[in-house]
């Protein structure tokens, strides 16, 4: 199955944003030194973002590589998800970033490939990486025919739900429209539970929630909305769909959809809430179902699309290549790094990575059995082409997403209005 051709670039945007907080970079190993002579031990370092204590699939894949290549040593440099973008930028600028870094296609965040290429931070990759670029996404992975990122999987983003907890709470059917969702929220809130676990203090999560609400309200109706915004044919502030999306945040909050203290909660609130069953669902990447299953083996987790405003409205979900492996242009271990990427591009490894992470494989999706997976509730949407990239993958800079994410935090605390947030996004677009 190829990516849906309606979109000029199909990719699920990164779920982290740069922060203004000071970063402690000590202990973050950079390039580990030049490789020894051919045939001898080789080494390189790998940086990636983490949101919890569960081992990252990037580290798991790296450890598998070392087991099958005993002459190779990989130094892992995990970084907190909510500060990863700024940490990566700072280390690349200082010349001490890892040899291999996890990036994201497009231009909408601090870790996005295109601005990093423009800054001269990334190395062009070989043909193996180019072969894995989803059809129609070439412009998000590089420029002038060159590719600077290697896609390891296809990620679905919507809601991850604890189906066992939902049934225990009396939810026999997942809400089919927004009004039903609000009703379920009120019912759960009265019993001390919440429908949604939200990391309200983490901009990546609040921004993702807003974009998820915009899926059916904006992009299902107009898949080319981003292109029209780029052509100045529309604005966020002038979009009824975007206004409805942000107003929906306030409606969710008023209906008690979030857990108590959500405004100040971090990512751990999502993991704890969904694993314990005190919350039913969360706005997190689809692969999180696998990590949650590890934490709550007795619960079943599925990936779902967020209910549309009305049951008759078009359902829509985000799905495409998410993260990417990139090589630091300043690396002294490029040969070892490229050898790892070539190995990771093999069909056996792309399948293994998707299984490790709980994602969809970047190759062989035509024969994927959705019905036997955590993606059974979104299988028809994906097979029917009713999906697209997270919007921020096509936004011109990370400031737009930053304005959205921090603006949603203001909506939850009552310090901002939807109009103010949308106007801030328009202002950031022109920066």
């Amino acid at each position: 199955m190829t990516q849906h051709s309606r979109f000029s670039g199909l990719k699920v945007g990164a779920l982290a944003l740069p922060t203004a907080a000071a970063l402690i970079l000590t202990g973050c190993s950079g390039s580990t030194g030049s490789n020894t002579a051919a045939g001898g031990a080789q080494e390189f370092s790998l940086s990636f973002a983490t949101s919890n204590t569960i081992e990252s699939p990037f580290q798991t894949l790296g450890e598998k590589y070392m087991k099958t290549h005993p002459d190779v040593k990989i130094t892992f440099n995990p970084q907190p998800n909510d500060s990863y973008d700024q940490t990566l930028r700072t280390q690349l600028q200082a010349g001490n970033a890892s040899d291999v870094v996890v990036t994201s296609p497009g231009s909408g965040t601090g870790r996005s490939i295109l601005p990093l290429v423009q800054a001269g931070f990334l190395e062009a990759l070989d043909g193996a990486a180019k072969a894995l670029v989803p059809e129609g996404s070439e412009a998000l992975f590089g420029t002038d025919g060159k590719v600077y990122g290697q896609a390891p999987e296809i990620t679905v983003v919507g809601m991850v739900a604890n189906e066992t907890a939902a049934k225990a709470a009396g939810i026999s059917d997942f809400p089919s429209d927004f009004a039903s969702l609000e009703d379920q929220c009120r019912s759960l809130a009265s019993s001390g539970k919440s429908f949604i676990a939200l990391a309200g203090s983490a901009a990546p999560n609040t921004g993702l929630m807003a974009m998820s609400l915009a899926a059916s309200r904006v992009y299902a109706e107009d898949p080319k909305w981003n292109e029209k915004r780029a052509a100045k044919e529309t604005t966020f502030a002038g979009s009824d769909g975007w206004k409805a999306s942000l107003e929906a945040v306030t409606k969710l909050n008023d209906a008690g959809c979030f857990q108590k203290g959500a405004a100040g909660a971090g990512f751990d609130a999502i993991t704890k809430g969904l694993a314990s069953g005190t919350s039913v669902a969360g706005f997190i990447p689809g692969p999180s179902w696998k990590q949650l299953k590890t934490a709550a083996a007795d619960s079943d987790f599925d990936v779902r699309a967020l209910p549309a405003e009305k049951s008759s409205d078009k359902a829509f979900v985000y799905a495409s290549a998410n993260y990417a492996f990139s090589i630091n242009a300043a690396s002294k271990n490029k040969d070892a790094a490229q050898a790892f990427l070539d190995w990771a591009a093999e069909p056996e490894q792309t399948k293994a990575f998707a299984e490790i992470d709980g994602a969809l494989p970047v190759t062989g999706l035509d024969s994927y059995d959705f019905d036997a997976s955590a993606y059974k509730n979104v299988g028809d949407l994906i097979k029917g082409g009713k999906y697209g990239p997270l919007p921020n993958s096509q936004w011109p800079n990370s400031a737009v997403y930053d304005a959205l994410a921090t603006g949603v935090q203001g909506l939850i605390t009552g310090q901002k209005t939807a109009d103010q947030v949308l106007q801030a996004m328009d202002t950031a677009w022109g920066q």
Side-chain angles (χ1 to χ4, degrees), residues 7 13 17 20 24 53 61 69-70 76 94 102 113 116 139 145 160 214 235 295 320 346 364 368 385:
F7 300 93
L17 291 172
I24 300 176
T53 59
L61 187 69
H69 298 74
F76 299 108
V102 174
I113 288 173
L116 294 179
V160 175
T235 62
S320 197
E346 297 172 359
Y368 187 79

Side-chain angles (χ1 to χ4, degrees), residues 103-230:
T103 57
S104 289
S107 58
T109 71
R111 76 180 71 173
S112 294
I113 288 173
L114 298 183
L116 294 179
V117 169
Q118 186 176 15
F121 291 141
L122 303 183
E123 183 80 4
L125 305 180
D126 64 16
K130 183 176 290 188
L132 294 181
V133 175
E135 182 180 347
S137 295
E138 293 81 5
L140 298 181
F141 281 79
T143 58
D144 300 325
K146 296 180 180 180
V147 171
Y148 295 83
Q150 180 171 303
E153 65 182 21
I154 297 294
T155 301
V156 176
V157 175
M159 299 188 82
V160 175
N162 184 331
E163 304 290 344
T164 302
K167 291 179 181 178
I171 301 175
S172 56
D173 295 309
F174 201 80
S176 59
D177 56 39
F178 198 74
S180 298
L181 174 59
E182 291 178 280
D183 289 341
Q184 290 286 5
C185 287
R186 295 187 185 95
S187 177
L188 287 174
S190 66
S191 63
K193 297 184 178 182
S194 72
F195 197 98
I196 298 170
L198 182 71
S201 69
N205 195 233
T206 55
L208 180 60
M209 174 175 63
M211 290 193 295
S212 296
L213 289 165
S216 61
R217 292 169 174 80
V218 179
Y219 296 96
E221 296 295 332
D222 190 355
K224 294 186 178 181
W225 192 93
N226 280 345
E227 296 176 24
K228 292 178 180 178
R229 179 62 186 85

Side-chain angles (χ1 to χ4, degrees), residues 29 229 262 316 337 344 400:
S29 301
R229 179 62 186 85
F316 198 79
V400 183

